[in-house]
Amino acid sequence: MLNLGVIGLGRIGKVHVESITTCVRGAKVKAVADPFLNEEGKEFAKKHGIEEVYTDYKKILNDKDIDAVIICSSTNTHANISKEAALAGKHVFCEKPIDHDLEKIKEVIETVEKTKVKYQVGFNRRFDHNFKAIKQAVLAGKVGEPQVIKVTSRDPEAPPVEYVKVSGGIFLDMTIHDFDMMRFLSGSEVEEVFAIGGALINKEIGEAGDIDTAIITLKFASGAMGVIDNSREAAYGYDQRAEVFGSKGAVETKNDSNSTAIISTKDGVTGEKPLYFFLERYMASFSQEMQEFVDAIVNDTETPVTVMDGLKPVLIGIAAKKSLVEGRPVKISEIM
């Protein structure tokens, strides 16, 4: 039984605590830490059988009985805590992104390589049942050589402007999942990015220096092409779809909904809207990614989403931002 320590008990930290305590085999949460811990957080920990609750995460790092840490704190702390944890001999699961600064990510990579700990980045969508089905079809050769990959990712409502100001921008806090999905589904690295976008939903987002609507095209080393379309607000719910078109055919996935029931009457044909937000849509994927992290530690195998997988989407995101600002295609080699 692995002992895990969760650092950061906000929304995503609670998601991981719940998935570990209810769905993940071979591991338990021994301790949680959050500098802003309140009574509600203490009650949450108690409810899930966690007796060790701290405001200082270093108490988790100093606990010799803890095998691995789950980093769910604010993005600006990810890199430093990753390095400290690795140097303390702890395996690390880190929520995306590792950092917005490439040099800090490279320092984490060097530390992980030096200490030989297991390191996994939280790109949970790779573990979603729909996207895994696409990947399996591609690997099985059912669509031939991938030629065009399409990803649609639209949130049900735009975030507060205050969040936008500190998020790193749409490409590094939202589209970063889609950049990872592009690499995952294509099996190839992105070589060039061209992005257009605007603040079509909330002008205050534009005034804050960001956009809320974007289309990004990508060129892959394999010769394939990709298209991502993003929106911060889809009136009908959480829109998450993908398609791989290849030399022998195509595979695509639709949105998940509460049911697949279709009502047909003289007035029209109607069905359910997509599930409303990521906690409904992706909860099972959070459990699966954590299970595979635990299994990698137990079986001494490589994690399914490595520290290098954490670097590549950030490179693409920075290139996309540069493309948007300069109005031209940007090669990833310009960012390296």
Side-chain angles (χ1 to χ4, degrees):
M1 181 69 69
L2 292 180
N3 288 317
L4 309 180
V6 175
I7 299 174
L9 202 58
R11 180 169 62 182
I12 197 63
K14 289 176 180 175
V15 165
H16 286 306
V17 168
E18 286 197 16
S19 71
I20 293 165
T21 55
T22 61
C23 301
V24 176
R25 303 178 309 277
K28 66 176 183 179
V29 179
K30 184 175 186 289
V32 297
D34 192 308
F36 306 106
L37 193 69
N38 54 24
E39 288 304 315
E40 187 271 336
K42 292 177 182 178
E43 283 300 313
F44 177 86
K46 183 179 179 181
K47 174 185 173 183
H48 290 82
I50 305 165
E51 296 181 358
E52 297 173 27
V53 180
Y54 310 120
T55 55
D56 183 359
Y57 71 87
K58 292 188 178 181
K59 290 186 177 181
I60 287 179
L61 301 187
N62 292 331
D63 187 338
K64 294 180 180 179
D65 292 329
I66 288 180
D67 303 292
V69 298
I70 317 300
I71 302 174
C72 306
S73 49
S74 57
T75 296
N76 63 317
T77 68
H78 288 182
N80 284 339
I81 297 177
S82 290
K83 289 187 293 182
E84 291 177 42
L87 291 171
K90 312 297 185 190
H91 302 294
V92 179
F93 178 100
C94 182
E95 271 302 327
K96 64 82 192 167
I98 299 172
D99 203 274
H100 296 148
D101 186 316
L102 294 178
E103 292 307 312
K104 290 184 178 180
I105 298 176
K106 290 174 183 177
E107 289 175 5
V108 172
I109 293 171
E110 290 173 2
T111 305
V112 169
E113 290 176 346
K114 175 184 175 182
T115 58
K116 307 296 184 184
V117 299
K118 306 292 182 185
Y119 194 99
Q120 183 168 324
V121 182
F123 284 117
N124 66 293
R125 294 183 192 178
R126 290 188 180 213
F127 304 88
D128 170 69
H129 62 115
N130 286 330
F131 297 139
K132 283 177 71 174
I134 293 183
K135 179 66 173 180
Q136 288 163 2
V138 172
L139 290 176
K142 293 183 178 180
V143 301
E145 289 298 318
Q147 297 171 343
V148 178
I149 299 94
K150 295 181 179 180
V151 170
T152 292
S153 180
R154 303 167 185 163
D155 283 352
E157 61 182 31
V161 174
E162 292 308 310
Y163 169 79
V164 170
K165 291 177 181 178
V166 298
S167 73
I170 191 171
F171 296 132
L172 291 179
D173 89 77
M174 179 180 176
T175 323
I176 191 168
H177 276 292
D178 307 313
F179 294 144
D180 179 68
M181 189 51 51
M182 280 288 181
R183 295 182 62 240
F184 178 61
L185 296 180
S186 69
S188 182
E189 295 296 346
V190 175
E191 289 192 334
E192 186 176 280
V193 182
F194 181 56
I196 60 172
L200 307 183
I201 297 163
N202 185 345
K203 66 179 182 179
E204 292 183 356
I205 288 177
E207 292 168 358
D210 198 14
I211 59 174
D212 53 34
T213 308
I215 294 176
I216 308 104
T217 59
L218 308 100
K219 290 183 180 179
F220 296 91
S222 65
M225 294 168 281
V227 180
I228 299 169
D229 81 83
N230 286 147
S231 174
R232 289 284 200 185
E233 187 169 291
Y236 49 86
Y238 196 39
D239 194 352
Q240 300 284 292
R241 291 172 284 138
E243 177 192 32
V244 175
F245 171 82
S247 57
K248 294 181 180 179
V251 55
E252 65 177 322
T253 59
K254 303 296 186 183
N255 285 308
D256 279 356
S257 58
N258 285 322
S259 80
T260 58
I262 302 294
I263 301 173
S264 301
T265 70
K266 64 182 178 62
D267 299 316
V269 179
T270 59
E272 301 246 15
K273 292 189 294 185
L275 295 175
Y276 189 72
F277 203 35
F278 81 96
L279 290 180
E280 301 165 86
R281 173 66 175 79
Y282 287 122
M283 193 62 201
S285 71
F286 288 114
S287 299
Q288 187 60 35
E289 70 173 348
M290 197 59 62
Q291 185 65 67
E292 294 197 26
F293 173 61
V294 169
D295 291 346
I297 296 171
V298 172
N299 300 321
D300 192 22
T301 56
E302 186 174 56
T303 58
V305 190
T306 68
V307 67
M308 292 303 296
D309 290 320
L311 170 65
K312 299 295 179 63
V314 176
L315 288 170
I316 302 169
I318 293 172
K321 177 66 174 180
K322 186 177 180 67
S323 172
L324 179 72
V325 171
E326 299 183 4
R328 66 176 180 89
V330 173
K331 293 185 182 297
I332 303 302
S333 59
E334 296 179 48
I335 309 302
M336 300 286 283

